[in-house]
Amino acid sequence: MLTPDQIPDLRRATARDQDGHRFGRVVEVFVDDDSDQVTWVTVSTGLFGTSHSFVPVKDADLADGDLVVPFGQNLVKNSPSVDAEDHLDADHEQRLYVHYGLA
């Protein structure tokens, strides 16, 4: 489980999928209001990194500047579009959990 003290490293991390393929860079880190645990990150994806995709980090690993998530890059890139700059509301979070098969 990723912890709040890893946030500075997360913000500089390269995102890799479960097969080790690079698919973007971490842009933002989201922390659960109740548990203070890191729960989501946004990753720059798409042409020139202009799109941002939410990725759950429950079973992710951070090592050597890489955030390795247990999902394929296509699943991440096709995640639902969510507008959340500072806070991810419950409805959006539920849509994302369903997309990643975590609901």
Side-chain angles (χ1 to χ4, degrees):
M1 179 172 290
L2 300 174
T3 62
D5 61 324
Q6 292 175 297
I7 290 174
D9 293 330
L10 279 169
R11 287 196 172 127
R12 294 187 296 268
T14 297
R16 296 190 182 276
D17 71 7
Q18 62 194 8
D19 297 320
H21 299 113
R22 180 184 187 276
F23 63 87
R25 297 204 49 83
V26 174
V27 178
E28 291 293 332
V29 178
F30 290 77
V31 176
D32 183 87
D33 294 336
D34 297 324
S35 69
D36 287 331
Q37 295 299 312
V38 177
T39 52
W40 297 90
V41 296
T42 56
V43 175
S44 61
T45 57
L47 190 61
F48 305 113
T50 56
S51 298
H52 293 172
S53 300
F54 273 87
V55 184
V57 295
K58 180 181 178 229
D59 294 320
D61 290 314
L62 180 65
D64 300 322
D66 290 338
L67 175 67
V68 180
V69 298
F71 307 103
Q73 62 183 328
N74 288 331
L75 184 65
V76 172
K77 289 179 179 182
N78 293 318
S79 68
S81 177
V82 174
D83 269 340
E85 290 186 24
D86 299 342
H87 191 267
L88 183 61
D89 70 41
D91 290 337
H92 289 131
E93 188 171 32
Q94 185 60 33
R95 281 185 26 218
L96 290 165
Y97 277 129
V98 168
H99 173 77
Y100 286 103
L102 301 173

